[in-house]
Coordinates of all heavy atoms in Angstrom, one line a residue:
V919 N -0.3 -4.0 -6.0 CA 0.5 -3.2 -5.0 C -0.5 -2.3 -4.3 O -1.5 -1.9 -4.9 CB 1.6 -2.5 -5.6 CG1 2.7 -3.4 -6.2 CG2 1.2 -1.5 -6.8
G920 N -0.1 -1.9 -3.0 CA -0.8 -0.9 -2.3 C -2.3 -1.0 -2.3 O -2.9 -2.0 -2.0
P921 N -3.0 0.1 -2.8 CA -4.4 0.1 -2.8 C -5.0 -1.0 -3.6 O -6.2 -1.4 -3.3 CB -4.7 1.5 -3.4 CG -3.5 2.3 -3.2 CD -2.4 1.4 -3.2
E922 N -4.4 -1.5 -4.7 CA -4.9 -2.6 -5.4 C -5.1 -3.8 -4.5 O -6.1 -4.5 -4.7 CB -3.9 -2.9 -6.6 CG -3.8 -1.8 -7.6 CD -2.9 -2.1 -8.7 OE1 -2.0 -3.0 -8.5 OE2 -3.0 -1.6 -9.9
T923 N -4.0 -4.1 -3.7 CA -4.1 -5.2 -2.9 C -5.2 -5.1 -1.9 O -5.9 -6.1 -1.5 CB -2.7 -5.5 -2.2 OG1 -1.7 -5.6 -3.1 CG2 -2.8 -6.7 -1.3
E924 N -5.4 -3.9 -1.4 CA -6.5 -3.6 -0.3 C -7.9 -3.9 -1.0 O -8.7 -4.5 -0.4 CB -6.4 -2.2 0.1 CG -5.3 -2.0 1.0 CD -5.3 -2.8 2.3 OE1 -6.5 -2.8 2.9 OE2 -4.3 -3.3 2.8
T925 N -8.0 -3.4 -2.3 CA -9.3 -3.7 -2.9 C -9.5 -5.2 -3.1 O -10.7 -5.7 -2.9 CB -9.2 -3.0 -4.3 OG1 -9.2 -1.6 -4.2 CG2 -10.5 -3.4 -5.2
F926 N -8.5 -5.9 -3.5 CA -8.7 -7.3 -3.7 C -8.9 -8.1 -2.3 O -9.7 -9.0 -2.2 CB -7.4 -7.9 -4.2 CG -7.6 -9.2 -4.9 CD1 -8.1 -9.3 -6.2 CD2 -7.3 -10.4 -4.2 CE1 -8.3 -10.5 -6.8 CE2 -7.6 -11.7 -4.8 CZ -8.0 -11.7 -6.1
A927 N -8.2 -7.6 -1.2 CA -8.4 -8.2 0.1 C -9.8 -8.0 0.6 O -10.5 -9.0 1.1 CB -7.5 -7.6 1.1
H928 N -10.4 -6.9 0.3 CA -11.8 -6.6 0.7 C -12.8 -7.5 0.0 O -13.7 -8.1 0.6 CB -12.2 -5.1 0.4 CG -13.6 -4.8 0.7 ND1 -14.1 -4.8 2.0 CD2 -14.6 -4.4 -0.1 CE1 -15.4 -4.5 2.0 NE2 -15.7 -4.2 0.7
L929 N -12.5 -7.8 -1.2 CA -13.4 -8.7 -2.0 C -13.2 -10.1 -1.4 O -14.3 -10.9 -1.3 CB -13.0 -8.8 -3.5 CG -13.5 -7.6 -4.3 CD1 -12.9 -7.6 -5.7 CD2 -15.0 -7.6 -4.4
L930 N -12.0 -10.6 -1.1 CA -11.9 -11.9 -0.6 C -12.7 -12.1 0.8 O -13.4 -13.1 1.0 CB -10.4 -12.2 -0.2 CG -9.4 -12.2 -1.4 CD1 -8.0 -12.6 -1.0 CD2 -10.0 -13.3 -2.4
T931 N -12.7 -11.1 1.7 CA -13.4 -11.2 2.8 C -15.0 -11.2 2.6 O -15.7 -11.7 3.5 CB -13.1 -10.1 3.9 OG1 -13.4 -8.8 3.2 CG2 -11.6 -10.2 4.2
R932 N -15.4 -10.7 1.5 CA -16.8 -10.6 1.2 C -17.4 -12.0 0.7 O -18.6 -12.2 0.8 CB -17.1 -9.5 0.2 CG -17.0 -8.1 0.7 CD -17.2 -7.1 -0.5 NE -18.5 -7.4 -1.2 CZ -18.7 -7.0 -2.5 NH1 -17.8 -6.3 -3.1 NH2 -19.9 -7.3 -3.0
I933 N -16.5 -12.8 0.2 CA -16.9 -14.0 -0.5 C -17.6 -14.9 0.5 O -18.8 -15.4 0.2 CB -15.8 -14.8 -1.2 CG1 -15.3 -13.9 -2.4 CG2 -16.2 -16.1 -1.6 CD1 -14.1 -14.5 -3.1
P934 N -17.0 -15.2 1.7 CA -17.8 -16.1 2.6 C -19.1 -15.5 3.1 O -20.1 -16.2 3.4 CB -16.8 -16.3 3.8 CG -15.4 -16.0 3.2 CD -15.7 -15.0 2.1
V935 N -19.0 -14.2 3.4 CA -20.2 -13.5 4.0 C -21.3 -13.4 3.0 O -22.6 -13.7 3.4 CB -19.7 -12.1 4.5 CG1 -21.0 -11.3 5.0 CG2 -18.7 -12.2 5.5
E936 N -21.0 -13.0 1.8 CA -22.2 -12.7 0.8 C -22.4 -13.8 -0.1 O -23.5 -13.9 -0.6 CB -21.7 -11.4 0.0 CG -21.6 -10.2 0.8 CD -21.2 -9.0 0.1 OE1 -21.6 -8.8 -1.1 OE2 -20.5 -8.1 0.6
L937 N -21.5 -14.7 -0.3 CA -21.7 -15.8 -1.3 C -21.8 -17.1 -0.5 O -22.1 -18.1 -1.2 CB -20.6 -15.9 -2.4 CG -20.4 -14.6 -3.2 CD1 -19.3 -14.8 -4.3 CD2 -21.6 -14.1 -3.8
G938 N -21.4 -17.2 0.7 CA -21.5 -18.3 1.4 C -20.4 -19.4 1.0 O -20.6 -20.7 1.4
A939 N -19.4 -19.0 0.4 CA -18.3 -20.0 0.0 C -17.1 -19.9 0.8 O -16.7 -18.7 1.3 CB -17.9 -19.6 -1.5
Q940 N -16.4 -20.9 1.0 CA -15.1 -20.9 1.7 C -14.0 -20.6 0.8 O -14.1 -21.0 -0.4 CB -14.9 -22.3 2.4 CG -13.5 -22.2 3.2 CD -13.3 -23.6 3.8 OE1 -13.9 -24.5 3.5 NE2 -12.2 -23.6 4.8
V941 N -13.0 -19.8 1.2 CA -11.8 -19.5 0.4 C -10.6 -20.2 1.0 O -10.4 -20.1 2.1 CB -11.7 -18.0 0.3 CG1 -10.4 -17.6 -0.6 CG2 -12.9 -17.3 -0.4
V942 N -9.9 -20.8 0.1 CA -8.6 -21.4 0.5 C -7.6 -20.6 -0.3 O -7.6 -20.7 -1.6 CB -8.5 -22.9 0.2 CG1 -7.1 -23.4 0.5 CG2 -9.5 -23.7 1.0
L943 N -6.7 -19.9 0.4 CA -5.8 -18.9 -0.2 C -4.4 -19.3 -0.2 O -3.8 -19.4 1.0 CB -6.0 -17.5 0.4 CG -5.1 -16.4 0.0 CD1 -5.3 -16.0 -1.5 CD2 -5.2 -15.2 0.9
V944 N -3.7 -19.6 -1.3 CA -2.3 -19.8 -1.3 C -1.7 -18.5 -1.7 O -2.0 -18.0 -2.7 CB -2.0 -20.9 -2.3 CG1 -0.4 -21.0 -2.6 CG2 -2.4 -22.3 -1.8
E945 N -0.8 -18.0 -0.9 CA -0.3 -16.6 -1.1 C 1.0 -16.4 -0.4 O 1.2 -16.9 0.7 CB -1.3 -15.6 -0.5 CG -1.0 -14.1 -0.8 CD -0.8 -13.8 -2.2 OE1 -1.7 -14.0 -3.0 OE2 0.3 -13.4 -2.6
H946 N 1.9 -15.7 -1.1 CA 3.2 -15.3 -0.5 C 3.2 -14.0 0.2 O 4.1 -13.8 1.0 CB 4.3 -15.3 -1.6 CG 4.8 -16.7 -2.0 ND1 5.6 -17.4 -1.3 CD2 4.5 -17.4 -3.1 CE1 5.9 -18.6 -1.8 NE2 5.2 -18.6 -3.0
D947 N 2.2 -13.1 -0.1 CA 2.1 -11.9 0.6 C 1.6 -12.1 2.1 O 0.3 -12.2 2.2 CB 1.2 -10.9 -0.2 CG 1.1 -9.5 0.3 OD1 1.5 -9.4 1.5 OD2 0.7 -8.6 -0.4
L948 N 2.5 -12.1 3.0 CA 2.0 -12.3 4.4 C 1.2 -11.3 4.9 O 0.4 -11.4 5.8 CB 3.3 -12.6 5.3 CG 4.1 -13.9 5.1 CD1 5.1 -14.1 6.1 CD2 3.1 -15.1 5.1
D949 N 1.4 -10.0 4.4 CA 0.5 -9.0 4.9 C -0.9 -9.2 4.5 O -1.8 -9.0 5.3 CB 0.9 -7.6 4.3 CG 2.2 -7.1 4.9 OD1 2.5 -7.5 6.1 OD2 2.9 -6.4 4.3
L950 N -1.1 -9.7 3.3 CA -2.5 -10.0 2.8 C -3.0 -11.3 3.6 O -4.2 -11.2 4.0 CB -2.4 -10.4 1.3 CG -3.8 -10.9 0.7 CD1 -4.9 -9.8 0.8 CD2 -3.5 -11.2 -0.8
V951 N -2.2 -12.2 3.8 CA -2.6 -13.4 4.5 C -3.1 -13.0 5.9 O -4.1 -13.5 6.5 CB -1.5 -14.5 4.6 CG1 -1.8 -15.5 5.6 CG2 -1.2 -15.1 3.2
S952 N -2.2 -12.1 6.6 CA -2.6 -11.7 8.0 C -3.9 -10.9 8.0 O -4.6 -11.0 8.9 CB -1.5 -10.8 8.5 OG -0.2 -11.6 8.6
E953 N -4.2 -10.2 6.9 CA -5.4 -9.3 6.9 C -6.7 -10.1 6.6 O -7.7 -9.9 7.3 CB -5.2 -8.3 5.8 CG -6.5 -7.4 5.7 CD -6.2 -6.2 4.7 OE1 -5.1 -6.1 4.2 OE2 -7.2 -5.5 4.5
V954 N -6.6 -11.1 5.8 CA -7.9 -11.8 5.4 C -8.1 -13.2 6.0 O -9.2 -13.7 6.0 CB -8.0 -11.9 3.8 CG1 -7.9 -10.5 3.3 CG2 -7.0 -12.8 3.3
C955 N -7.0 -13.9 6.4 CA -7.0 -15.4 6.8 C -7.3 -15.4 8.4 O -6.3 -15.0 9.0 CB -5.9 -16.0 6.3 SG -5.7 -16.1 4.5
G956 N -8.4 -16.0 8.8 CA -8.5 -16.2 10.2 C -7.6 -17.3 10.7 O -7.1 -17.3 11.9
E957 N -7.3 -18.3 9.9 CA -6.4 -19.3 10.2 C -5.5 -19.6 9.0 O -5.9 -19.3 7.8 CB -7.2 -20.6 10.6 CG -8.1 -20.4 11.9 CD -8.7 -21.7 12.2 OE1 -8.2 -22.8 12.0 OE2 -9.8 -21.6 12.8
V958 N -4.4 -20.3 9.4 CA -3.4 -20.6 8.2 C -2.8 -22.0 8.5 O -2.6 -22.4 9.7 CB -2.3 -19.5 8.2 CG1 -1.5 -19.5 9.4 CG2 -1.5 -19.6 6.9
A959 N -2.5 -22.7 7.4 CA -1.7 -23.9 7.5 C -0.4 -23.7 6.9 O -0.4 -23.1 5.7 CB -2.5 -25.1 6.8
V960 N 0.7 -24.1 7.5 CA 2.0 -23.8 6.9 C 2.6 -25.2 6.4 O 2.7 -26.2 7.2 CB 3.0 -23.2 7.9 CG1 4.3 -23.0 7.3 CG2 2.3 -22.0 8.5
L961 N 3.0 -25.3 5.1 CA 3.5 -26.5 4.6 C 5.0 -26.3 4.4 O 5.5 -25.2 4.1 CB 2.9 -26.9 3.3 CG 1.4 -27.1 3.2 CD1 0.9 -27.6 1.8 CD2 0.9 -28.0 4.2
D962 N 5.8 -27.4 4.6 CA 7.2 -27.3 4.3 C 7.6 -28.7 3.9 O 7.5 -29.7 4.5 CB 7.9 -27.0 5.6 CG 9.4 -26.7 5.4 OD1 9.7 -26.3 4.3 OD2 10.2 -26.9 6.4
F963 N 8.2 -28.8 2.6 CA 8.6 -30.1 2.0 C 7.5 -31.1 2.1 O 7.8 -32.3 2.4 CB 9.8 -30.5 2.6 CG 11.0 -29.6 2.4 CD1 11.6 -28.8 3.3 CD2 11.6 -29.6 1.1 CE1 12.6 -27.9 3.0 CE2 12.7 -28.8 0.8 CZ 13.2 -27.9 1.7
G964 N 6.2 -30.7 1.9 CA 5.1 -31.8 1.8 C 4.5 -32.1 3.2 O 3.6 -32.9 3.2
H965 N 5.1 -31.5 4.2 CA 4.5 -31.9 5.6 C 3.9 -30.6 6.2 O 4.2 -29.5 5.8 CB 5.7 -32.3 6.5 CG 6.3 -33.6 6.1 ND1 7.4 -33.7 5.2 CD2 6.1 -34.9 6.4 CE1 7.8 -34.9 5.0 NE2 7.0 -35.7 5.7
L966 N 3.0 -30.9 7.1 CA 2.3 -29.8 7.9 C 3.3 -29.3 8.9 O 3.6 -30.1 9.9 CB 1.0 -30.2 8.4 CG 0.3 -29.2 9.2 CD1 -0.2 -28.1 8.3 CD2 -0.9 -29.8 10.0

């Protein structure tokens, strides 16, 4: 919650920059998704 999520979000954005790895994030927290994900894919009943 709150500042904890912000701390975690900051780490997620550092991974591609500092470690050179891509992150694929499955997440229900749309605020977190909006903050860290440049793009998003939406699935519904197995379809894009």
Side-chain angles (χ1 to χ4, degrees):
V919 294
E922 295 177 338
T923 305
E924 288 297 318
T925 296
F926 200 84
H928 178 63
L929 283 171
L930 292 184
T931 60
R932 287 176 55 202
I933 291 173
V935 175
E936 298 180 29
L937 304 183
Q940 182 182 12
V941 176
V942 177
L943 176 66
V944 169
E945 182 57 59
H946 281 283
D947 185 340
L948 288 188
D949 289 335
L950 176 60
V951 170
S952 297
E953 182 175 352
V954 304
C955 297
E957 297 183 28
V958 66
V960 185
L961 304 186
D962 191 28
F963 294 106
H965 296 87
L966 182 66

